[in-house]
Amino acid sequence: MKKLIIFIVLAALAYCAYWFAAAHFLPGKIETQIQTLTEDRATITHGPIKISGFPAAFSSDVSPVKMTGDGWSADIDTLTARAPAYLPTSVKMEHDGGANFNIQDGLFKGIYTTQTETATLDSRLTSRLSQETIINAKNVQITSAPGSVWPVQSADSIYVRRDIARKSYAVDFDLRDVTLDAARLGDIGQLLGPRARGVSGDILISREAASETPFGAQTGDVITAQKITFDWSELKFDGRFNLTRNNGTLSGEIMLLTEDPGALIKAAQREGMIPQQASFLLDMLISNLPKNEAGQYELPISVSNGDMSLGPLPIGRLPF
């Protein structure tokens, strides 16, 4: 019994020595992890790194965090670094609560306030010997200031991947079950009229060419959606799109899917997007529309340098 007690005491002392030794070196690891959140030229300030959590884990509240990059800034109310006791080098950052983003240019231009139920930020080496930072946020409520490009209201999840290579990186924004304020979608929102409720769906924003900053790139951003839903009180219709940003403007195609294309045409005419005298051309267009396997007509809207057109008829500009 005496030997068992001695063994337990020695084991406890050894574990204490291990924990406090790891806690001594952990602030440097946490600092490195914080710096991987954004580009090398950005500046990041945060609260003091003080390790706690003994004996079950390692943790440090580094709030508040302020990041300032090339044409953007972010203020994060709460950010906590955590690592399991058995693997102190595996540091993950966790965020909940509020954050503010001010983006001055590019596809995401605007001022956004977020309220997040839970978000994890993890940085790791990949098989390509490159470093990858993953941000995964759940149940995000978003308020976008007037004039912001993306009038987002909520997102079930936001997944951001930053793939670092020689001080430049590609960024993927995967927005799941996102809801946009249709009344602030420019000419697209006008199609829905004053009774518009919203546009929802899954939207992926990716960057084909690596750039030095996460925001403000004028070329290479690709926006795709396999299914979005336009909610217009008594009428709902689906759509999909594939748009590429070059020289600061978007080009590509928006496909509207509906069982009654005539109702959409009438809505566009009522809102003044399509002149009434174009009815003959539109009737010809509708008569030649293909149907998909679900029995929906496919109504293509062409986008060239931000300008939208339905066949030969211009119908406005994208808000992006």
Side-chain angles (χ1 to χ4, degrees):
M1 185 66 178
K2 185 177 180 180
K3 290 182 178 180
L4 178 59
I5 294 174
I6 293 174
F7 174 77
I8 293 174
V9 171
L10 290 176
L13 290 174
Y15 178 79
C16 289
Y18 154 77
W19 193 96
F20 284 102
H24 177 73
F25 293 101
L26 202 51
K29 175 66 176 177
I30 294 174
E31 182 66 39
T32 300
Q33 188 82 335
I34 294 173
Q35 297 300 324
T36 65
L37 297 179
T38 187
E39 76 265 29
D40 293 344
R41 293 187 298 177
T43 59
I44 302 178
T45 59
H46 55 80
I49 300 176
K50 298 179 180 179
I51 306 300
S52 60
F54 179 84
F58 300 95
S59 66
S60 177
D61 183 355
V62 297
S63 311
V65 176
K66 182 175 179 62
M67 297 184 286
T68 304
D70 186 6
W72 68 276
S73 63
D75 294 280
I76 301 174
D77 291 346
T78 59
L79 189 64
T80 304
R82 301 186 190 279
Y86 61 86
L87 191 61
T89 56
S90 180
V91 177
K92 289 187 178 181
M93 314 297 292
E94 296 180 358
H95 161 66
D96 60 66
N100 296 287
F101 299 86
N102 188 335
I103 303 166
Q104 299 173 13
D105 195 17
L107 184 60
F108 303 95
K109 181 180 178 180
I111 299 174
Y112 306 92
T113 300
T114 64
Q115 194 71 28
T116 308
E117 184 175 290
T118 177
T120 58
L121 306 91
D122 185 18
S123 182
R124 61 193 176 210
L125 289 175
T126 68
S127 58
R128 295 166 294 172
L129 297 181
S130 176
Q131 195 168 33
E132 188 175 70
T133 297
I134 301 294
I135 302 174
N136 198 358
K138 297 289 186 181
N139 298 326
V140 186
Q141 298 298 315
I142 305 170
T143 302
S144 53
S148 300
V149 168
W150 286 89
V152 183
Q153 295 173 314
S154 64
D156 178 67
S157 67
I158 299 177
Y159 177 89
V160 182
R161 181 188 63 85
R162 176 190 176 208
D163 190 5
I164 308 166
R166 297 182 181 179
K167 298 185 179 181
S168 64
Y169 54 93
V171 180
D172 291 344
F173 291 85
D174 193 357
L175 288 75
R176 296 287 175 178
D177 195 19
V178 65
T179 299
L180 306 177
D181 182 359
R184 291 167 57 192
L185 277 174
D187 290 325
I188 294 178
Q190 288 182 22
L191 173 61
L192 304 179
R195 291 166 291 181
R197 293 180 180 174
V199 177
S200 60
D202 300 337
I203 299 174
L204 174 64
I205 303 171
S206 58
R207 184 164 298 156
E208 291 184 331
S211 63
E212 294 184 356
T213 62
F215 309 110
Q218 297 295 302
T219 298
D221 286 331
V222 179
I223 311 174
T224 58
Q226 293 303 313
K227 182 179 179 181
I228 54 175
T229 300
F230 295 85
D231 187 348
W232 177 35
S233 63
E234 74 276 7
L235 176 65
K236 282 188 178 181
F237 55 95
D238 296 332
R240 64 177 183 267
F241 57 78
N242 191 320
L243 303 168
T244 301
R245 183 178 177 88
N246 286 307
N247 299 320
T249 61
L250 288 168
S251 297
E253 184 179 71
I254 301 171
M255 186 70 73
L256 303 182
L257 309 174
T258 178
E259 296 178 356
D260 188 0
L264 295 185
I265 297 299
K266 289 179 181 177
Q269 289 178 318
R270 184 181 65 241
E271 298 300 327
M273 297 178 69
I274 298 176
Q276 296 289 338
Q277 55 268 34
S279 297
F280 177 74
L281 287 175
L282 294 171
D283 288 341
M284 291 181 58
L285 175 66
I286 292 174
S287 65
N288 292 309
L289 288 178
K291 269 188 176 183
N292 58 23
E293 294 179 355
Q296 296 172 310
Y297 289 96
E298 299 186 347
L299 189 64
I301 296 177
S302 298
V303 181
S304 177
N305 296 322
D307 293 318
M308 299 183 295
S309 61
L310 179 60
L313 300 173
I315 58 173
R317 283 189 62 81
L318 284 174
F320 316 121

